[in-house]
């Protein structure tokens, strides 16, 4: 979605730093067994040495654009972090344990993962973000579950908007909680996108790019809602709503999006993006339509853990 005036969309604002968790820290992948794949939502058992190689290559490329730091650098003395790093391979997916807002750099939204094996991630990452000088905006309870891969912050016509996917991991109740707590001080309105349960998170099958371009997995989105500046809730079809606003939608294959994280692109500001294993034809179409440049790095083993470059990173704007 394009903007007038200041654009504080995630795809526009360059992060000052990227917070990450290296899979070597804690060695949880080296303890992973096939019996835990379903519990952790891994597609296959990754080849650990090759995954490390892919991760290091990704970090090296990322480091040419922005400063990176690890959880271990921030809270290496924090015992809950060590326990989580030793037992939870999903901790590498730093996107899910918090939400940061380009227009509010010293604030964050602590998430509340629904998957029991990931329930402690948000506590660990919240401790790290607070140590970095950030403060939480809200908290979730009862049937309110939210993971950061389901939240994309954008601006439209100078309005601060959260796109919130809901389905298998994030609940509509959490989106309503965000509206009650954040509108109007920190967010102007919220658009909810109901996605197919096969789509783990919104960022698995949906990306907003410059020039009013959206990349979306075909057949993954249907009903949705809008919570406006008066906190009024109304039903909308999110993709039809986007097209009515002048957006063009480029669609990719559903199975390809799920297995290979095709829609999972990482914006770094200045129209620069990173992606895993993006086919040349799709890369060329996106670069031309959105006026962007996409650098590609291998991520075959990482994708077996159902995550891409967007999932691995938590942008910091402070």
């Amino acid at each position: 979605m394009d903007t007038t005036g200041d654009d504080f969309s995630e795809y526009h604002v360059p992060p000052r730093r990227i917070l990450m968790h290296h899979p070597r820290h804690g060695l949880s992948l080296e303890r992973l067994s096939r019996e835990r794949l379903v519990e952790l939502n891994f597609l296959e058992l990754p080849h650990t040495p090759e995954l490390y190689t892919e991760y290091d290559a990704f970090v090296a490329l990322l480091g040419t654009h922005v400063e990176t730091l690890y959880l271990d650098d921030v809270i290496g003395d924090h015992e809950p972090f060590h326990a989580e790093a030793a037992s939870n391979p999903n901790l590498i997916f730093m996107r899910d344990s918090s939400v940061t807002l380009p227009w509010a750099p010293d604030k964050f939204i602590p998430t509340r993962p629904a998957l029991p094996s990931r329930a402690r991630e948000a506590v660990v990452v919240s401790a790290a973000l607070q140590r970095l000088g950030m403060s939480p905006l809200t908290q979730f309870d009862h049937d309110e579950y939210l993971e950061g891969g389901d939240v994309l912050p954008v601006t439209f016509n100078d309005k601060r908007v959260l796109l919130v996917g809901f389905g298998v991991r994030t609940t509509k109740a959490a989106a309503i909680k965000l509206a009650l707590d954040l509108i109007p001080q920190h967010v102007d309105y919220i658009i909810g996108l109901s996605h197919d349960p096969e789509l783990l998170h919104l960022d698995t099958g949906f990306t907003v790019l410059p020039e009013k371009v959206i990349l979306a997995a075909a057949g993954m989105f249907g009903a949705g809602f809008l919570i406006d500046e008066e906190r009024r809730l109304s039903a909308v079809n999110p993709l039809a709503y986007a097209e009515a606003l002048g957006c063009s939608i480029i669609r990719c294959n559903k199975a390809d999006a799920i297995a290979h994280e095709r829609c999972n692109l990482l914006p770094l500001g200045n129209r620069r993006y990173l992606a895993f294993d993006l086919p040349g034809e799709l890369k060329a179409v996106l670069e031309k339509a959105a006026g962007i440049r996409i650098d590609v790095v291998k991520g075959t083993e990482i994708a077996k853990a159902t995550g891409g470059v967007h999932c691995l990173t938590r942008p910091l704007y402070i």
Side-chain angles (χ1 to χ4, degrees):
M1 296 180 184
D2 210 0
T3 67
T4 59
D6 291 331
D7 188 340
F8 289 102
S9 300
E10 180 188 75
Y11 66 74
H12 182 79
V13 179
R16 293 188 61 184
R17 295 177 287 181
I18 298 282
L19 183 61
M20 307 182 73
H21 171 64
H22 200 294
R24 282 196 184 94
H25 297 162
L27 302 178
S28 60
L29 275 174
E30 298 181 22
R31 301 182 180 92
L32 181 61
S33 65
R34 292 190 181 278
E35 289 71 28
R36 293 194 68 201
L37 294 182
V38 173
E39 171 200 347
L40 297 170
N41 205 66
F42 278 45
L43 297 175
E44 300 177 47
L45 192 66
H47 183 260
T48 301
E50 180 61 24
L51 187 148
Y52 288 162
T53 299
E54 290 179 356
Y55 192 92
D56 289 337
F58 168 57
V59 174
L61 179 57
L62 184 58
T64 66
H65 297 277
V66 63
E67 177 189 351
T68 59
L69 73 162
Y70 293 115
L71 275 177
D72 191 65
D73 300 325
V74 181
I75 52 170
D77 59 346
H78 188 59
E79 182 53 38
F81 160 66
H82 288 289
E84 195 68 8
S87 63
N88 181 9
N90 279 317
L91 188 59
I92 63 170
F93 297 126
M94 289 292 298
R95 184 69 51 164
D96 294 327
S97 46
S98 66
V99 176
T100 52
L101 304 173
W103 55 77
D106 62 343
K107 308 294 183 185
F108 72 97
I109 300 168
T111 61
R112 185 170 176 242
L115 199 65
S117 63
R118 303 193 69 178
R120 295 179 299 275
E121 287 180 36
V123 176
V124 169
V125 174
S126 291
L129 295 179
Q130 289 180 83
R131 189 170 289 189
L132 290 169
M134 301 173 68
S135 57
L137 286 174
T138 188
Q139 63 181 14
F140 300 100
D141 202 356
H142 305 299
D143 59 345
E144 300 159 355
Y145 292 98
L146 181 84
E147 295 190 8
D150 273 322
V151 182
L152 298 177
V154 300
T155 53
F156 180 72
N157 293 336
D158 297 329
K159 300 296 184 181
R160 303 158 300 171
V161 183
L162 291 184
L163 304 177
V164 181
F166 62 98
V168 66
R169 294 291 184 86
T170 293
T171 61
K172 187 174 180 179
I176 293 172
K177 172 70 169 176
L178 287 173
L180 292 174
D181 287 357
L182 303 188
I183 296 174
Q185 185 174 358
H186 299 289
V187 173
D188 292 308
Y189 62 94
I190 289 172
I191 297 175
L193 300 90
S194 174
H195 55 71
D196 189 304
E198 292 187 60
L199 194 73
L200 189 62
H201 292 121
L202 180 64
D203 65 2
T204 306
F206 188 94
T207 301
V208 181
L209 304 171
E211 306 299 333
K212 295 186 177 181
V213 174
I214 292 172
L215 173 62
M220 299 299 283
F221 301 95
F225 61 85
L226 185 148
I227 305 176
D228 67 15
E229 295 171 83
E230 303 298 326
R231 299 177 183 158
R232 295 172 299 200
L233 188 149
S234 57
V236 297
N237 180 307
L239 296 187
Y241 182 80
E243 288 179 317
L245 294 173
C247 296
S248 59
I249 300 174
I250 297 172
R251 289 175 169 83
C252 71
N253 179 268
K254 168 182 172 178
D256 206 29
I258 294 170
H260 302 293
E261 301 293 334
R262 289 289 182 251
C263 297
N264 200 273
L265 308 183
L266 175 63
L268 295 171
N270 302 315
R271 295 178 180 264
R272 301 296 296 269
Y273 283 77
L274 300 186
F276 279 153
D277 306 314
L278 197 64
E281 183 178 355
L282 179 58
K283 178 177 181 291
V285 168
L286 294 174
E287 288 182 328
K288 181 178 181 180
I292 60 177
R293 176 176 171 179
I294 305 171
D295 292 327
V296 176
V297 65
K298 186 172 182 290
T300 306
E301 295 302 313
I302 295 174
K304 290 178 181 178
T306 60
V309 292
H310 194 262
C311 307
L312 291 169
T313 54
R314 173 39 62 196
L316 303 178
Y317 304 98
I318 186 173

